[in-house]
Amino acid sequence: MNKKETRLNNFIHFLKIKNSITVKEMATHLNVSEMTVRRDIKELTADHTINFENGKIMFNPQSSLSEASPSYSLESEKEKRNLQKELIGKFAATLVEPNDTVIIDSGSTTEHLAHYIPDSMPVTALCYSMNILNELITKEDISLIFPGGFYHPNAQMFESQQAIDLINQIRANKVFLSAAGIHRELGITCMHNYEISTMQAVIKSSVTKILLADSSKFDQIRPAYFASLECIDIIVTDHYLAEEWQEYIRGVGIELYLV
């Protein structure tokens, strides 16, 4: 765990004890400048971990985050904002229709989508991650396509050139995408470069592109760019999404669902 992650964890733990605290008091406790505390506040409010109102910092009781995760892993992501992710996934499952061919991206939110697809619905589904496969494999009326490849434990994802070649031969009604970052100018990003080719292939092979992302992902930038916002047809997110983002999304012609 690096210095910043240690500081953020101390920030969260101290706030849980104090319930409410000023910027100056937090700076004194952490032995840092008030400017550093304000930067941390911006990051933690974006994640809905804390609230900052009238000069007071307060822990958000609806947050599922207990500490700052030192590095990305699918398992740690499942613990963050799980209620919002479940609601997003549950709603997204209503967009799946009988006899659809769908592609389901790796991720913690798309796992909820896979879970809520009705067991009795005839669907052809392509996936390339372990957690999605585990959700779908018990559904008797789903025809599964699993391209395989090299396994990446952090994302529970399989990828290879052979898998991409197979995806390029598939045509799907809908692809359900996840994202680690969404930015107006810099587009949609994920955590790992090895994800890029697969993500771009599934987008190219699908008619309707549906992005599933909780509101903390907006205004975030992650290392690996895979698509522009303009290529997305539908976004499903939670009702915490800032009004400016809601206006922007609708303004560029993307269908928006808030759950």
Side-chain angles (χ1 to χ4, degrees), residues 72 77 105-107 155 157 177-197 199-200 203 211-214 216-232 235 245:
Y72 178 88
E77 280 298 303
D105 188 20
S106 59
M157 176 182 173
L177 300 163
S178 60
I182 303 166
H183 192 272
R184 297 181 198 188
E185 287 78 34
L186 299 181
I188 311 172
T189 49
C190 53
M191 293 297 298
H192 308 107
N193 285 336
Y194 63 72
E195 299 176 77
I196 295 173
S197 295
M199 302 285 279
Q200 293 178 339
I203 289 171
L211 179 61
L212 310 183
D214 68 83
S216 72
K217 303 300 192 301
F218 291 79
D219 284 323
Q220 299 297 310
I221 301 170
R222 294 297 180 253
Y225 168 84
F226 67 88
S228 66
L229 265 173
E230 287 73 18
C231 82
I232 299 299
I235 293 177
W245 262 107

Side-chain angles (χ1 to χ4, degrees), residues 19-252:
N19 294 321
S20 175
I21 193 170
T22 65
V23 172
K24 184 176 181 179
E25 289 169 332
M26 183 62 80
T28 300
H29 171 71
L30 297 176
N31 194 27
V32 297
S33 68
E34 292 185 23
M35 184 179 295
T36 297
V37 171
R38 291 186 185 279
R39 283 199 297 265
D40 291 345
I41 288 171
K42 184 177 180 180
E43 182 170 339
L44 292 171
T45 52
D47 285 346
H48 306 299
T49 302
I50 67 170
N51 297 320
F52 185 55
E53 299 174 2
N54 302 319
K56 291 284 189 178
I57 314 166
M58 295 162 285
F59 185 75
N60 179 5
Q62 294 183 340
S63 172
S64 61
L65 183 65
S66 59
E67 62 178 23
S69 179
S71 60
Y72 178 88
S73 75
L74 184 63
E75 290 305 315
S76 66
E77 280 298 303
K78 288 180 183 180
E79 298 175 4
K80 301 176 186 177
R81 295 164 293 276
N82 191 56
L83 175 60
Q84 291 96 321
K85 292 179 179 184
E86 182 173 5
L87 292 172
I88 291 166
K90 187 174 183 179
F91 177 84
T94 68
L95 302 177
V96 180
E97 299 174 286
N99 302 311
D100 267 352
T101 297
V102 300
I103 300 175
I104 304 178
D105 188 20
S106 59
S108 52
T109 305
T110 49
E111 181 176 333
H112 290 295
L113 157 67
H115 175 76
Y116 280 107
I117 294 175
D119 293 357
S120 59
M121 182 179 289
V123 170
T124 298
L126 183 149
C127 67
Y128 38 84
S129 62
M130 183 68 74
N131 63 319
I132 306 300
L133 179 64
N134 286 340
E135 288 290 344
L136 297 178
I137 202 166
T138 59
K139 299 177 187 287
E140 293 184 0
D141 288 329
I142 289 188
S143 299
L144 272 172
I145 305 171
F146 192 78
F150 300 100
Y151 181 58
H152 299 274
N154 280 359
Q156 297 189 19
M157 176 182 173
F158 294 82
E159 60 81 30
S160 67
Q161 183 56 54
Q162 291 82 358
I164 293 167
D165 291 342
L166 175 59
I167 292 169
N168 287 335
Q169 297 174 34
I170 301 295
R171 293 296 179 262
N173 303 91
K174 304 175 180 89
V175 59
F176 294 89
L177 300 163
S178 60
I182 303 166
H183 192 272
R184 297 181 198 188
E185 287 78 34
L186 299 181
I188 311 172
T189 49
C190 53
M191 293 297 298
H192 308 107
N193 285 336
Y194 63 72
E195 299 176 77
I196 295 173
S197 295
T198 300
M199 302 285 279
Q200 293 178 339
V202 299
I203 289 171
K204 187 177 179 181
S205 290
S206 303
V207 177
T208 303
K209 292 84 172 174
I210 304 170
L211 179 61
L212 310 183
D214 68 83
S215 57
S216 72
K217 303 300 192 301
F218 291 79
D219 284 323
Q220 299 297 310
I221 301 170
R222 294 297 180 253
Y225 168 84
F226 67 88
S228 66
L229 265 173
E230 287 73 18
C231 82
I232 299 299
D233 301 298
I234 298 171
I235 293 177
V236 185
T237 186
D238 59 74
H239 65 272
Y240 290 110
L241 184 67
E243 289 186 9
E244 309 90 81
W245 262 107
Q246 296 181 37
E247 293 173 4
Y248 175 79
I249 290 168
R250 293 185 174 114
V252 296

